[in-house]
Amino acid sequence: MNPCTFFKCLADDTRLKSLLLIAKTGEACVCDLMEALELDQPKTSRHLAQLRKCGILLDERRGKWVFYRLHPELPPWARNVIVEAAENNSLYFSDALNKLMASQSSTLNCC
Amino acid sequence: MNPCTFFKCLADDTRLKSLLLIAKTGEACVCDLMEALELDQPKTSRHLAQLRKCGILLDERRGKWVFYRLHPELPPWARNVIVEAAENNSLYFSDALNKLMASQSSTLNCC
DNA sequence: ATTACATATGCGATATTTCACATATGTAAA
DNA sequence: TTTACATATGTGAAATATCGCATATGTAAT
């Protein structure tokens, strides 16, 4: 994991918020993320794909849905960076986090 | 310190290596950094200026030279990110670090 | 005041990233 | 097997970042 490549992955609002949301909640599917972040589907998917290709996220398909979580083999220092960023910038993504947790706990939710 | 802005600052080879070198050595002047990184002067100065304007680095002039160090008011989480990256990616900037330490300890050095 | 050296910045050219739209793929229910 | 839904990706346009060169500013010695 080249550190410059790693930081490039965090250097975008969509990707960073997606990562912080996933770090906080453990995992999330694409449809919940796009609603929480108020983004269209291709944009959400593209950024998640970039994080997956860099080895930061791991995807798992369950039926129609694809869930993303932090890659278990992510180097500890890199995981710490994400977790520390999440713990110290709650205001940056609290709106999205509230929406995401509402979706995830709702029985009306798609997945 | 918006976290996305912060990570954008780390998402470039010149800036990231400069930061890791400064984190390791405490401080460095522009001329030593440009030699350690084998860059021209305007490029080195430009990237340092960006880090200064974002509040990551603090500059201090001493005679003809300008020394940069991590800004003392940098939020602890952000400082930790830089320090952790430095501690866990030595191979990424070891060449530059060796050159920088050689310059800084040499009596032949300009500053 | 002039010169030499260290650092900073204006600016157009180039490279890289991101976006928006269309479309493709994958899954499951009817 | 048709349909609906979820996700992924091809592609060119737009936005953004970086570079290279020239030049400006700041400091100290002569």
Side-chain angles (χ1 to χ4, degrees), chain B residues 30-31 41-42 45-46 52 64-66 68:
Chain B
V30 181
C31 61
Q41 187 275 322
S45 179
R46 264 246 157 59
R52 168 169 40 84
K64 286 192 287 191
W65 303 281
V66 174
Y68 283 90

Side-chain angles (χ1 to χ4, degrees), chain B residues 14-15 18 29-51 57 68:
Chain B
T14 298
R15 290 194 299 273
S18 298
C29 67
V30 181
C31 61
D32 281 351
L33 282 172
M34 50 178 285
E35 285 188 12
L37 294 171
E38 297 178 341
L39 300 171
D40 59 28
Q41 187 275 322
K43 181 168 175 180
T44 311
S45 179
R46 264 246 157 59
H47 285 294
L48 291 171
Q50 183 177 342
L51 294 168
L57 291 182
Y68 283 90

